[in-house]
Amino acid sequence: MSSIFADAIKNLDLAAKYADVDEEELERLRHTKATLEVGIPLRRDNGSLEIFKGYRVQHDSTRGPTKGGIRYHPQVCVDEVKALAFWMTFKCAVVGLPYGGAKGGIIVDPKSLSRMELERLSRGFMGQMADFIGPDTDIPAPDVYTNARIMGWMMDEYSKIKRQYTPAVITGKPLPLGGSAGREDATGRGVYYSIKELTAKKAWDPKTLTVALQGFGNVAQHAAALLQRDGYRIVALSDSQGGIYRPEGLDIPSIVKAKNETRRVKAIYCEGSVCEVVDAKTISNEELLELDVDILIPAALENVITADNAPRIRAKTIAEGANGPISFDADQILHERGTLVIPDILANAGGVTVSYFEWVQNKAGYYWQAEEVHQRLQTIIAREFDHVYEIMQHHQCSMRTAAYVHGINRLSSAYRAQGTHRYYASLDE
Ligand code: GLU
């Protein structure tokens, strides 16, 4: 069986030749630090008892407490959570946050639970994790199919267990429970800022660019709305049920409204409260990925572009809204074919960056305005995009390899400050 984690760490060897790194530092990065596996008993509304399996994996904490979301999905497995934790270590290093990487998940289809079951399960998971995480050790956040409300329940549960109000234990909380302005749209906004950076570097005119998004959850909805506002033409999007394609363009705010009301993506256009259905072609998720568009944003799950469909991908630019949507082999194929991929560990780092702002605000007890959050986020994404782009041009490598080089350099300098073989064998002073 193929391992997502084994696939993810292949990027280390690819990047190592351009990075300032020793074998022992790479070896540390090939392993996760700790894994917690729990069984969470859930009393269902009908009185029966069911046990759900959950994980929390910490990958590396050299640069600070570990950080990363919690997902609720039927396909969660420990190998996937390890890969996601590894990507978090790199994401935090690439954008320079003082964090290591972690991730968590429960094997569950949250849509099959009532609201009260969801709350009991979330509180139950926190009960099992409470001694494994903490505001200065490991800080969770939302991910696939988890949201601010769930973070609020978890923070409340942790605070009760520790008998101390502890907002900094988890980020992505609702505003009244210590959340940050600008956290809700932060991941999508980060995707948007990174596309804007590329557009500026290439001197493209947004009005001439078409965009397709796979997935229509938190990340895609916000990225699409911001891109449309700047004049990019959003021609296709999809959710887990399927997608819509309209070469003349789709109106994102109208579609978000319909999605919230009906839970489905529909090609509609609204003026005020009057909405009408517009002509659009129904397409599958697979067809969406292969559309002839300028920019493709996979913003759902990992491994949607593999060696099988990579040769058929026509977009010349891909911005990874999801974590790990392109398999390692597919990535090599795309690079050879000249596709520019803005990698997940840079493109979708906006979420964890604003999580960091939230944590800082919780610790300070002083809260910022949305404009300040946006401004600081844009500064970080633009700065790190620039670094990565420069490394890519210098080594003529893929942007993903360049991002790994950037991350590895930050991580290895932290390892070295602690002492590596070179120090102990008196090869360094
Ligand atoms: N789940 C998000 C990610 O994959 C956010 C993590 C966080 O805010 O800690 O980056």
Side-chain angles (χ1 to χ4, degrees), residues 38-86:
V38 297
I40 313 153
L42 173 72
R43 182 69 63 196
R44 302 296 300 251
D45 292 344
N46 66 9
S48 66
L49 186 85
E50 215 173 304
I51 315 286
F52 288 85
K53 203 172 250 190
Y55 303 99
R56 183 76 187 166
V57 174
Q58 297 162 356
H59 172 255
D60 187 272
S61 59
T62 313
R63 302 186 69 258
T66 52
K67 183 90 192 77
I70 293 174
R71 65 173 53 180
Y72 288 179
H73 197 276
Q75 255 93 55
V76 162
C77 64
V78 69
D79 175 60
E80 179 199 43
V81 181
K82 280 185 175 180
L84 289 160
F86 167 83

Side-chain angles (χ1 to χ4, degrees), residues 173-185:
K173 300 178 293 293
L175 280 178
L177 297 179
S180 173
R183 175 63 184 86
E184 191 59 29
D185 74 357

Side-chain angles (χ1 to χ4, degrees), residues 67-71 84 88 91-92 99 103 139-144 171-172 183 187 323 348-356:
K67 183 90 192 77
I70 293 174
R71 65 173 53 180
L84 289 160
M88 286 309 304
K91 207 180 290 186
C92 294
Y99 288 141
K103 204 76 171 202
I139 306 131
D143 195 75
V144 174
T171 58
R183 175 63 184 86
T187 311
N323 292 309
N348 73 35
V352 71
T353 302
V354 177
S355 275
Y356 167 58

Side-chain angles (χ1 to χ4, degrees), residues 227-408:
L227 288 166
Q228 185 188 347
R229 207 187 56 184
D230 269 14
Y232 295 81
R233 185 149 41 101
I234 315 297
V235 294
L237 47 88
S238 65
D239 64 9
S240 55
Q241 312 297 311
I244 47 178
Y245 173 49
R246 186 169 190 262
E248 305 78 40
L250 294 160
D251 183 53
I252 302 306
S254 306
I255 299 170
V256 169
K257 193 166 160 259
K259 168 90 179 165
N260 289 339
E261 283 161 11
T262 65
R263 283 184 149 201
R264 299 196 69 100
V265 294
K266 264 199 308 229
I268 64 162
Y269 179 76
C270 307
E271 284 247 22
S273 58
V274 184
C275 297
E276 59 172 358
V277 177
V278 293
D279 253 356
K281 202 171 152 220
T282 306
I283 53 170
S284 68
N285 264 290
E286 292 72 37
E287 288 169 329
L288 181 138
L289 294 170
E290 296 169 19
L291 286 174
D292 188 8
V293 292
D294 296 302
I295 302 171
L296 174 66
I297 307 179
L301 291 171
E302 52 271 3
N303 274 344
V304 294
I305 301 177
T306 62
D308 285 343
N309 60 353
R312 296 194 298 275
I313 303 292
R314 284 182 283 175
K316 279 273 158 270
T317 300
I318 302 179
E320 294 185 317
N323 292 309
I326 302 177
S327 76
F328 183 81
D329 290 343
D331 208 36
Q332 313 318 308
I333 296 172
L334 291 172
H335 180 55
E336 274 158 31
R337 296 178 69 222
T339 311
L340 182 90
V341 178
I342 311 175
D344 45 10
I345 53 173
L346 172 65
N348 73 35
V352 71
T353 302
V354 177
S355 275
Y356 167 58
F357 298 160
E358 180 173 332
W359 182 78
V360 167
Q361 293 169 79
N362 291 151
K363 285 188 163 268
Y366 178 79
Y367 288 83
W368 312 346
Q369 301 294 313
E371 293 66 40
E372 182 167 2
V373 171
H374 296 164
Q375 195 51 56
R376 286 177 185 264
L377 173 61
Q378 183 163 18
T379 303
I380 290 179
I381 299 291
R383 184 184 65 212
E384 304 303 334
F385 187 99
D386 231 51
H387 280 307
V388 171
Y389 203 81
E390 224 179 273
I391 297 171
M392 173 184 81
Q393 289 188 316
H394 184 251
H395 295 296
Q396 293 293 304
C397 60
S398 73
M399 202 165 175
R400 186 184 319 277
T401 297
Y404 275 95
V405 170
H406 192 38
I408 288 175

